[in-house]
Amino acid sequence: MDFLLILTTFMILIVVLMMVAIYSVFIKKKSQLILTQKIKEATFEQELANSQVEIKEQTLNYIGQELHDDLGQKLSVARLMTNKLSFSDESEKKEIANEINLLIGECIQDIRNLSKVFITKQVEHFGFVESLEREIFRIKRLQLLEVHYDINNRDLEINSSHALILFRIIQECINNVIKHSKSKCIELLVIDHQDFIDININDTGIGFNTHREDNGSGLKNMISRAKIINTDFKINSSEKDGTKVLITYNK
């Protein structure tokens, strides 16, 4: 009888210890999962903030170029034409005044356009597609590259926070083409599928060796950002043979 009691007590003790051990492992794994999730969320928020800052810098650079190259030139012409008024006869004064009026009207419209560009949450405000097309318009306007652009669906469904980071990745790719590729044109294709979106960015420039260790942090940043928003980033390039980038955003 005593032996049976001892055995029963021992078995209950083992079961209790096993339950405690299982519970401890469960709590430990749960804590690890929570910690991993918090790290992922913190990393995402950091990349989102970085993307917002970088887009602000790009916007400021664009505004600076527009003020200097376009608006400044128009106002300079208007000033010269104003000075010309005092040396012109009556028939010319009306024509010059009309020209000045048109130039000032264009300047006012340019300022309005710039005010629309200078928005903190550009992609969230305009949407991914319009923001992308504004970037293409900027490149064409400044005659930086010849752009071949095509999209099969302008009503893309992308999470606004993901869209901001995705836009920044594309913008970085385009900037790399402008700065380093020596290409005269760029091809940008956006293809919407049922479960994912393919974005192709191709150039015909000098290319580079993608396996070199001194390629810089830009490429690594784009790859890490892509992973954060569940996106595949593939780059294929070789020296003197251009560069092809395929970005696949999984919805």
Side-chain angles (χ1 to χ4, degrees), residues 212-226:
R212 286 176 56 176
E213 295 183 359
D214 59 346
N215 281 327
S217 59
L219 182 58
K220 294 178 182 177
N221 286 341
M222 286 188 284
I223 294 171
S224 64
R225 283 179 172 178

Side-chain angles (χ1 to χ4, degrees), residues 6 23 51 67 77 81 83 113 126 145-147 153 157 173 178 184 215 220 222 227-228 230 241 247:
I6 293 170
Y23 181 74
S51 297
L67 289 173
V77 172
M81 294 180 76
N83 293 335
N113 291 338
F126 293 115
L145 281 172
E146 181 182 342
V147 182
N153 179 17
E157 296 181 3
C173 288
I178 294 170
K184 294 181 180 179
N215 281 327
K220 294 178 182 177
M222 286 188 284
K227 288 181 180 177
I228 290 171
N230 192 30
D241 198 28
I247 302 168

Side-chain angles (χ1 to χ4, degrees), residues 43-44 47-48 51 161-170 172-173 197 199 217-235 245-251:
T43 303
F44 177 78
E47 289 298 339
L48 186 61
S51 297
S161 296
H162 287 193
L164 182 62
I165 295 176
L166 184 61
F167 173 77
R168 183 57 196 144
I169 293 171
I170 296 168
E172 185 68 20
C173 288
I197 299 168
I199 300 162
S217 59
L219 182 58
K220 294 178 182 177
N221 286 341
M222 286 188 284
I223 294 171
S224 64
R225 283 179 172 178
K227 288 181 180 177
I228 290 171
I229 58 172
N230 192 30
T231 297
D232 299 320
F233 183 95
K234 297 177 182 177
I235 184 165
V245 174
L246 174 60
I247 302 168
T248 302
Y249 174 77
N250 299 295
K251 298 179 182 179

Side-chain angles (χ1 to χ4, degrees), residues 150-156 189-193 197-198:
D150 190 35
I151 183 169
N152 69 337
N153 179 17
R154 298 190 78 257
D155 298 318
L156 297 179
L189 306 176
V190 181
I191 306 167
D192 184 31
H193 302 275
I197 299 168
D198 274 337

Side-chain angles (χ1 to χ4, degrees), residues 90-111:
E90 290 301 321
S91 61
E92 287 182 319
K93 282 182 179 180
K94 186 175 181 180
E95 185 179 342
I96 293 171
N98 287 334
E99 288 293 330
I100 293 171
N101 186 52
L102 287 173
L103 278 171
I104 292 173
E106 288 181 16
C107 289
I108 291 170
Q109 187 58 48
D110 289 342
I111 291 169

